[in-house]
Amino acid sequence: MATREDHDSFCVNENWDLVRGAVGRPVTHHKTYELALWDGRILRTRISRPVDRTDYSAGMWSHILRQQLEATAEVFWRCVRDGVIPDRGAPDAVPIRSAVPLHLVRELTRLGMPEREILELDAAAAAQRYADLLAGAQRGATP
């Protein structure tokens, strides 16, 4: 069975925010945490003071896991014991590639490169392609 201390460790390990009262101090009657999720929801959990090794009843603990932490017992204990942060289902981040500056797009288009090909490049590759096209144009201009 989980204790208040385990509950607190879970919140700390997963980087929940400690809720502050109107005067900026932590709430005094319970230790209250919030976690903003990627989908805009905010989870909120309270730990009765003192945060110690006092066990929760089975019913209370089931409610806390399901309703407040939205975690299974297995996920909870892996976070508390091993520091494994729960997977909250956030989408994978798409790497942002360096955009091609507009002036470079215009110059490459002027030199005959199709815009769809330009947009497949990152900024460094577009600059290199521009330099290659300029060098080729200069070589073609001199006999």
mmCIF file of all heavy atoms in Angstrom, residues 39-64:
data_model
loop_
_atom_site.group_PDB
_atom_site.id
_atom_site.type_symbol
_atom_site.label_atom_id
_atom_site.label_comp_id
_atom_site.label_asym_id
_atom_site.label_seq_id
_atom_site.Cartn_x
_atom_site.Cartn_y
_atom_site.Cartn_z
ATOM 1 N N ASP A 39 -2.497 17.885 -23.589
ATOM 2 C CA ASP A 39 -3.791 18.096 -24.246
ATOM 3 C C ASP A 39 -4.616 19.210 -23.598
ATOM 4 O O ASP A 39 -5.770 19.415 -23.940
ATOM 5 C CB ASP A 39 -4.591 16.803 -24.287
ATOM 6 C CG ASP A 39 -4.919 16.236 -22.906
ATOM 7 O OD1 ASP A 39 -4.523 16.852 -21.896
ATOM 8 O OD2 ASP A 39 -5.561 15.174 -22.839
ATOM 9 N N GLY A 40 -4.021 19.935 -22.658
ATOM 10 C CA GLY A 40 -4.696 21.072 -22.037
ATOM 11 C C GLY A 40 -5.362 20.766 -20.704
ATOM 12 O O GLY A 40 -5.743 21.676 -19.977
ATOM 13 N N ARG A 41 -5.494 19.500 -20.356
ATOM 14 C CA ARG A 41 -6.079 19.150 -19.061
ATOM 15 C C ARG A 41 -5.073 19.411 -17.952
ATOM 16 O O ARG A 41 -3.871 19.420 -18.183
ATOM 17 C CB ARG A 41 -6.495 17.677 -19.022
ATOM 18 C CG ARG A 41 -7.634 17.357 -19.949
ATOM 19 C CD ARG A 41 -8.024 15.882 -19.908
ATOM 20 N NE ARG A 41 -6.895 15.046 -20.242
ATOM 21 C CZ ARG A 41 -6.503 13.986 -19.529
ATOM 22 N NH1 ARG A 41 -7.147 13.626 -18.440
ATOM 23 N NH2 ARG A 41 -5.455 13.287 -19.898
ATOM 24 N N ILE A 42 -5.585 19.632 -16.758
ATOM 25 C CA ILE A 42 -4.724 19.833 -15.590
ATOM 26 C C ILE A 42 -5.131 18.828 -14.523
ATOM 27 O O ILE A 42 -6.286 18.797 -14.096
ATOM 28 C CB ILE A 42 -4.840 21.270 -15.044
ATOM 29 C CG1 ILE A 42 -4.341 22.253 -16.098
ATOM 30 C CG2 ILE A 42 -4.061 21.409 -13.749
ATOM 31 C CD1 ILE A 42 -4.471 23.700 -15.715
ATOM 32 N N LEU A 43 -4.171 17.996 -14.123
ATOM 33 C CA LEU A 43 -4.408 17.050 -13.032
ATOM 34 C C LEU A 43 -4.081 17.748 -11.727
ATOM 35 O O LEU A 43 -3.166 18.561 -11.658
ATOM 36 C CB LEU A 43 -3.531 15.807 -13.194
ATOM 37 C CG LEU A 43 -3.706 14.988 -14.468
ATOM 38 C CD1 LEU A 43 -2.779 13.776 -14.432
ATOM 39 C CD2 LEU A 43 -5.146 14.563 -14.655
ATOM 40 N N ARG A 44 -4.843 17.411 -10.693
ATOM 41 C CA ARG A 44 -4.625 18.023 -9.384
ATOM 42 C C ARG A 44 -4.724 16.934 -8.329
ATOM 43 O O ARG A 44 -5.629 16.109 -8.367
ATOM 44 C CB ARG A 44 -5.683 19.104 -9.146
ATOM 45 C CG ARG A 44 -5.441 19.925 -7.912
ATOM 46 C CD ARG A 44 -6.494 21.030 -7.832
ATOM 47 N NE ARG A 44 -6.250 21.872 -6.709
ATOM 48 C CZ ARG A 44 -5.919 23.145 -6.769
ATOM 49 N NH1 ARG A 44 -5.814 23.737 -7.932
ATOM 50 N NH2 ARG A 44 -5.696 23.845 -5.691
ATOM 51 N N THR A 45 -3.786 16.933 -7.397
ATOM 52 C CA THR A 45 -3.801 15.954 -6.317
ATOM 53 C C THR A 45 -3.439 16.637 -5.010
ATOM 54 O O THR A 45 -2.724 17.637 -5.004
ATOM 55 C CB THR A 45 -2.845 14.774 -6.618
ATOM 56 O OG1 THR A 45 -3.041 13.748 -5.653
ATOM 57 C CG2 THR A 45 -1.394 15.201 -6.632
ATOM 58 N N ARG A 46 -3.978 16.090 -3.917
ATOM 59 C CA ARG A 46 -3.713 16.651 -2.586
ATOM 60 C C ARG A 46 -3.174 15.557 -1.683
ATOM 61 O O ARG A 46 -3.647 14.430 -1.716
ATOM 62 C CB ARG A 46 -4.999 17.203 -1.977
ATOM 63 C CG ARG A 46 -5.531 18.397 -2.707
ATOM 64 C CD ARG A 46 -6.815 18.905 -2.025
ATOM 65 N NE ARG A 46 -7.435 19.912 -2.848
ATOM 66 C CZ ARG A 46 -8.355 19.665 -3.781
ATOM 67 N NH1 ARG A 46 -8.763 18.434 -3.977
ATOM 68 N NH2 ARG A 46 -8.871 20.637 -4.480
ATOM 69 N N ILE A 47 -2.209 15.936 -0.868
ATOM 70 C CA ILE A 47 -1.637 15.014 0.108
ATOM 71 C C ILE A 47 -1.860 15.627 1.476
ATOM 72 O O ILE A 47 -1.406 16.739 1.754
ATOM 73 C CB ILE A 47 -0.123 14.803 -0.137
ATOM 74 C CG1 ILE A 47 0.120 14.353 -1.571
ATOM 75 C CG2 ILE A 47 0.436 13.804 0.859
ATOM 76 C CD1 ILE A 47 1.579 14.370 -1.983
ATOM 77 N N SER A 48 -2.576 14.899 2.328
ATOM 78 C CA SER A 48 -2.842 15.408 3.675
ATOM 79 C C SER A 48 -1.539 15.561 4.442
ATOM 80 O O SER A 48 -0.609 14.783 4.278
ATOM 81 C CB SER A 48 -3.768 14.454 4.430
ATOM 82 O OG SER A 48 -5.011 14.394 3.791
ATOM 83 N N ARG A 49 -1.486 16.587 5.268
ATOM 84 C CA ARG A 49 -0.308 16.799 6.098
ATOM 85 C C ARG A 49 -0.475 16.060 7.415
ATOM 86 O O ARG A 49 -1.580 15.922 7.891
ATOM 87 C CB ARG A 49 -0.106 18.296 6.335
ATOM 88 C CG ARG A 49 0.268 19.006 5.043
ATOM 89 C CD ARG A 49 0.684 20.430 5.343
ATOM 90 N NE ARG A 49 0.862 21.204 4.150
ATOM 91 C CZ ARG A 49 2.013 21.357 3.513
ATOM 92 N NH1 ARG A 49 3.081 20.773 3.970
ATOM 93 N NH2 ARG A 49 2.091 22.096 2.437
ATOM 94 N N PRO A 50 0.595 15.594 7.996
ATOM 95 C CA PRO A 50 1.971 15.670 7.542
ATOM 96 C C PRO A 50 2.227 14.638 6.444
ATOM 97 O O PRO A 50 1.609 13.576 6.417
ATOM 98 C CB PRO A 50 2.785 15.340 8.791
ATOM 99 C CG PRO A 50 1.916 14.426 9.568
ATOM 100 C CD PRO A 50 0.508 14.896 9.297
ATOM 101 N N VAL A 51 3.149 14.968 5.532
ATOM 102 C CA VAL A 51 3.546 14.032 4.492
ATOM 103 C C VAL A 51 4.517 13.065 5.154
ATOM 104 O O VAL A 51 5.672 13.386 5.382
ATOM 105 C CB VAL A 51 4.200 14.774 3.303
ATOM 106 C CG1 VAL A 51 4.691 13.788 2.261
ATOM 107 C CG2 VAL A 51 3.216 15.757 2.696
ATOM 108 N N ASP A 52 3.980 11.901 5.487
ATOM 109 C CA ASP A 52 4.777 10.918 6.218
ATOM 110 C C ASP A 52 4.491 9.521 5.680
ATOM 111 O O ASP A 52 3.950 9.364 4.600
ATOM 112 C CB ASP A 52 4.493 11.012 7.723
ATOM 113 C CG ASP A 52 3.015 10.818 8.051
ATOM 114 O OD1 ASP A 52 2.244 10.363 7.180
ATOM 115 O OD2 ASP A 52 2.630 11.121 9.184
ATOM 116 N N ARG A 53 4.802 8.523 6.467
ATOM 117 C CA ARG A 53 4.630 7.138 6.040
ATOM 118 C C ARG A 53 3.240 6.580 6.372
ATOM 119 O O ARG A 53 3.040 5.369 6.378
ATOM 120 C CB ARG A 53 5.718 6.263 6.647
ATOM 121 C CG ARG A 53 7.090 6.597 6.115
ATOM 122 C CD ARG A 53 8.032 5.429 6.324
ATOM 123 N NE ARG A 53 9.237 5.577 5.550
ATOM 124 C CZ ARG A 53 9.377 5.189 4.289
ATOM 125 N NH1 ARG A 53 8.372 4.651 3.655
ATOM 126 N NH2 ARG A 53 10.519 5.346 3.661
ATOM 127 N N THR A 54 2.275 7.431 6.612
ATOM 128 C CA THR A 54 0.911 6.995 6.884
ATOM 129 C C THR A 54 0.325 6.360 5.630
ATOM 130 O O THR A 54 0.376 6.944 4.547
ATOM 131 C CB THR A 54 0.031 8.186 7.306
ATOM 132 O OG1 THR A 54 0.649 8.836 8.408
ATOM 133 C CG2 THR A 54 -1.358 7.742 7.671
ATOM 134 N N ASP A 55 -0.231 5.146 5.771
ATOM 135 C CA ASP A 55 -0.826 4.435 4.636
ATOM 136 C C ASP A 55 -2.191 5.017 4.286
ATOM 137 O O ASP A 55 -2.919 5.504 5.148
ATOM 138 C CB ASP A 55 -1.031 2.948 4.970
ATOM 139 C CG ASP A 55 0.271 2.168 5.026
ATOM 140 O OD1 ASP A 55 1.272 2.666 4.510
ATOM 141 O OD2 ASP A 55 0.251 1.061 5.586
ATOM 142 N N TYR A 56 -2.529 4.910 2.988
ATOM 143 C CA TYR A 56 -3.882 5.227 2.541
ATOM 144 C C TYR A 56 -4.729 3.967 2.636
ATOM 145 O O TYR A 56 -4.219 2.854 2.489
ATOM 146 C CB TYR A 56 -3.865 5.683 1.078
ATOM 147 C CG TYR A 56 -3.295 7.053 0.834
ATOM 148 C CD1 TYR A 56 -2.080 7.215 0.194
ATOM 149 C CD2 TYR A 56 -3.990 8.196 1.215
ATOM 150 C CE1 TYR A 56 -1.553 8.473 -0.059
ATOM 151 C CE2 TYR A 56 -3.474 9.461 0.969
ATOM 152 C CZ TYR A 56 -2.257 9.591 0.336
ATOM 153 O OH TYR A 56 -1.753 10.840 0.087
ATOM 154 N N SER A 57 -6.013 4.121 2.817
ATOM 155 C CA SER A 57 -6.911 2.960 2.759
ATOM 156 C C SER A 57 -6.982 2.507 1.302
ATOM 157 O O SER A 57 -6.695 3.279 0.376
ATOM 158 C CB SER A 57 -8.297 3.324 3.265
ATOM 159 O OG SER A 57 -8.931 4.213 2.353
ATOM 160 N N ALA A 58 -7.391 1.260 1.076
ATOM 161 C CA ALA A 58 -7.445 0.715 -0.290
ATOM 162 C C ALA A 58 -8.371 1.537 -1.178
ATOM 163 O O ALA A 58 -8.042 1.847 -2.326
ATOM 164 C CB ALA A 58 -7.881 -0.741 -0.256
ATOM 165 N N GLY A 59 -9.542 1.909 -0.661
ATOM 166 C CA GLY A 59 -10.494 2.693 -1.442
ATOM 167 C C GLY A 59 -9.975 4.080 -1.769
ATOM 168 O O GLY A 59 -10.122 4.564 -2.896
ATOM 169 N N MET A 60 -9.383 4.724 -0.790
ATOM 170 C CA MET A 60 -8.830 6.068 -0.995
ATOM 171 C C MET A 60 -7.697 6.016 -2.016
ATOM 172 O O MET A 60 -7.611 6.851 -2.920
ATOM 173 C CB MET A 60 -8.321 6.644 0.329
ATOM 174 C CG MET A 60 -7.634 7.996 0.176
ATOM 175 S SD MET A 60 -8.728 9.294 -0.397
ATOM 176 C CE MET A 60 -9.569 9.676 1.106
ATOM 177 N N TRP A 61 -6.817 5.007 -1.876
ATOM 178 C CA TRP A 61 -5.689 4.905 -2.783
ATOM 179 C C TRP A 61 -6.146 4.628 -4.217
ATOM 180 O O TRP A 61 -5.622 5.191 -5.171
ATOM 181 C CB TRP A 61 -4.710 3.835 -2.314
ATOM 182 C CG TRP A 61 -3.516 3.786 -3.209
ATOM 183 C CD1 TRP A 61 -3.070 2.730 -3.911
ATOM 184 C CD2 TRP A 61 -2.657 4.879 -3.532
ATOM 185 N NE1 TRP A 61 -1.970 3.092 -4.655
ATOM 186 C CE2 TRP A 61 -1.700 4.412 -4.440
ATOM 187 C CE3 TRP A 61 -2.597 6.222 -3.148
ATOM 188 C CZ2 TRP A 61 -0.695 5.211 -4.970
ATOM 189 C CZ3 TRP A 61 -1.603 7.025 -3.670
ATOM 190 C CH2 TRP A 61 -0.668 6.514 -4.573
ATOM 191 N N SER A 62 -7.138 3.803 -4.368
ATOM 192 C CA SER A 62 -7.692 3.513 -5.695
ATOM 193 C C SER A 62 -8.230 4.791 -6.337
ATOM 194 O O SER A 62 -8.006 5.054 -7.518
ATOM 195 C CB SER A 62 -8.796 2.462 -5.568
ATOM 196 O OG SER A 62 -9.385 2.232 -6.814
ATOM 197 N N HIS A 63 -8.922 5.599 -5.547
ATOM 198 C CA HIS A 63 -9.455 6.882 -6.036
ATOM 199 C C HIS A 63 -8.322 7.827 -6.450
ATOM 200 O O HIS A 63 -8.386 8.452 -7.508
ATOM 201 C CB HIS A 63 -10.320 7.537 -4.947
ATOM 202 C CG HIS A 63 -10.682 8.955 -5.267
ATOM 203 N ND1 HIS A 63 -11.679 9.277 -6.153
ATOM 204 C CD2 HIS A 63 -10.156 10.131 -4.834
ATOM 205 C CE1 HIS A 63 -11.760 10.603 -6.253
ATOM 206 N NE2 HIS A 63 -10.847 11.137 -5.450
ATOM 207 N N ILE A 64 -7.298 7.936 -5.640
ATOM 208 C CA ILE A 64 -6.174 8.837 -5.937
ATOM 209 C C ILE A 64 -5.489 8.410 -7.236
ATOM 210 O O ILE A 64 -5.226 9.245 -8.105
ATOM 211 C CB ILE A 64 -5.175 8.873 -4.762
ATOM 212 C CG1 ILE A 64 -5.804 9.596 -3.568
ATOM 213 C CG2 ILE A 64 -3.866 9.556 -5.177
ATOM 214 C CD1 ILE A 64 -5.024 9.458 -2.276
#
